[in-house]
Amino acid sequence: MRPASSAPAAAPAAPAAPPSSKVAIVAALAANLAIAVIKFVAAAFTGSSAMVAEGIHSLVDTANEWLLLLGLHRSQRPASEKRPFGYGKELYFWSFIVAICIFAIGGGISMYEGIEHLRHPVPPGEPTWNYVVLGVAFLFDGASFLVARRTFNAQRGRRRFWAAFRGSKDPSVFVVLFEDAADLLGLLVAFLGVFLGHQLQNPYLDGVASVLIGLMLVVVAGLLLRENKSLLLGEPAEAELLENICHLVQADAAVVSTAAPLSSYLSPHDILLVLQVEFQPHLLAPELSAAISRLQAMVQARYPDIGHLFIQPMGPPQHHKPAATGSGGRASALLGGVG
């Protein structure tokens, strides 16, 4: 076991992130479930196509939050023989499924409902129910959005919003944020469709609003699909982090130089890092092994998110034979790893 294995438990930042994500997801789930029921009741009384689209939207969001909770729970399972690097990518997988649901179910059904309403328009009825539901839904979604935004802002620090979104490794936060933002925009579009349709006595505007809601969901889903696909395939650690780790390792007396490190995020707080290190040529095998263990402990104590660190000794570019002789031919077998 690595000497720094207790470091993540002592660091306050690493264990605090999952509860924050869970709070945002649970808040969105509760809000969307209540809103979906209210919207469908209102749609049954008014016959509004935009309200049906919004009800479907909220119902899909409710299922999506449950999938995110499932992914968050399964991603925190400990490593096993079948999954030696853990289950962290479960979160990325289920977030990708959520984005597909938003695209296919939320966007597709909303556009279908709108097109059907344009083909078979229904005269607008009494809009009071719609206004009440939209107002209540806006309050619920607004509260959920504030929770998600607060969680996202705590993670992004001083970075610009778009840069933080593209660089975020925690889809459980930005998926909820984008869903809630789409909810609020969808409510505004539905309100305009109902209001203008009633004022102008034009039944087509309600269908247009439903189509616009569907298109908006498709755009949001496209953004989420792109980001979650990138995370699922594996994104490298930040360049600044890798540079700092290289400087930390190179400061050790046993190290001559390091090659460009290879890294990949396995979960929002678990990084796989492979580091090729050129050690001093006079080191014997026991000294080399001790140096590797020392470097592992030092790096993981400083950066607890490095959950899996592999240090691979390498020879100098033009002096492979002396390096192999000095280590008794065993340097290549000393692959330091922590899983």
Side-chain angles (χ1 to χ4, degrees):
M1 299 297 292
R2 66 176 185 268
S5 58
S6 61
S20 298
S21 302
K22 190 173 182 180
V23 167
I25 296 173
V26 171
L29 189 151
N32 286 319
L33 181 60
I35 292 169
V37 173
I38 297 173
K39 286 178 179 177
F40 281 123
V41 171
F45 278 92
T46 62
S48 169
S49 171
M51 192 59 65
V52 172
E54 272 299 303
I56 294 171
H57 180 187
S58 296
L59 194 61
V60 171
D61 282 350
T62 303
N64 289 343
E65 315 310 343
W66 182 84
L67 290 177
L68 286 176
L69 285 176
L70 176 65
L72 194 62
H73 172 73
R74 293 178 64 88
S75 69
Q76 295 172 354
R77 290 180 295 169
S80 63
E81 291 185 1
K82 292 184 178 181
R83 296 290 184 271
F85 294 124
Y87 293 82
K89 289 202 172 184
E90 285 260 17
L91 177 59
Y92 298 155
F93 170 77
W94 289 109
S95 299
F96 188 79
I97 296 298
V98 165
I100 293 176
C101 291
I102 296 175
F103 180 88
I105 302 177
I109 294 181
S110 294
M111 286 192 289
Y112 172 79
E113 287 289 336
I115 293 172
E116 284 297 304
H117 198 77
L118 290 174
R119 294 177 59 190
H120 310 287
V122 177
E126 173 58 40
T128 305
W129 263 97
N130 289 336
Y131 295 148
V132 171
V133 171
L134 290 173
V136 173
F138 197 87
L139 292 177
F140 276 103
D141 277 329
S144 176
F145 175 78
L146 290 177
V147 174
R149 190 186 67 173
R150 189 180 305 116
T151 305
F152 182 77
N153 286 341
Q155 291 188 359
R156 76 184 180 108
R158 296 184 177 181
R159 291 181 295 174
R160 293 179 179 272
F161 177 87
W162 192 253
F165 166 62
R166 295 299 304 272
S168 176
K169 313 302 178 187
D170 192 352
S172 64
V173 174
F174 66 70
V175 168
V176 174
L177 180 67
F178 272 72
E179 278 186 347
D180 287 341
D183 287 341
L184 295 175
L185 290 175
L187 289 170
L188 291 176
V189 173
F191 169 77
L192 290 175
V194 173
F195 177 76
L196 293 177
H198 179 73
Q199 293 295 320
L200 302 176
Q201 289 298 304
N202 186 340
Y204 292 100
L205 294 179
D206 190 50
V208 171
S210 183
V211 172
L212 290 177
I213 291 171
L215 290 174
M216 179 180 59
L217 290 175
V218 168
V219 172
V220 170
L223 292 173
L224 296 179
L225 281 170
R226 183 180 64 179
E227 293 305 312
N228 283 298
K229 174 189 173 184
S230 179
L231 290 170
L232 194 58
L233 292 177
E235 290 189 355
E238 293 78 3
E240 182 180 359
L241 173 63
L242 297 178
E243 183 179 358
N244 291 338
I245 292 176
C246 288
H247 289 162
L248 180 64
V249 171
Q250 290 170 2
D252 191 277
V255 175
V256 176
S257 64
T258 60
L262 303 176
S263 63
S264 179
Y265 268 91
L266 302 179
S267 75
H269 298 282
D270 188 7
I271 302 174
L272 169 67
L273 177 63
V274 178
L275 187 61
Q276 289 185 316
V277 179
E278 179 189 351
F279 290 93
Q280 296 291 348
H282 59 76
L283 294 179
L284 299 178
E287 297 172 321
L288 188 58
S289 178
I292 290 175
S293 298
R294 181 175 65 253
L295 292 174
Q296 288 173 349
M298 181 172 58
V299 170
Q300 291 181 307
R302 180 75 63 87
Y303 304 101
D305 282 354
I306 307 296
H308 306 272
L309 173 59
F310 295 87
I311 296 180
Q312 180 179 2
M314 67 175 186
Q318 298 179 353
H319 302 283
H320 295 290
K321 290 184 179 180
T325 302
S327 61
R330 290 172 289 178
S332 61
L334 291 172
L335 175 61
V338 177

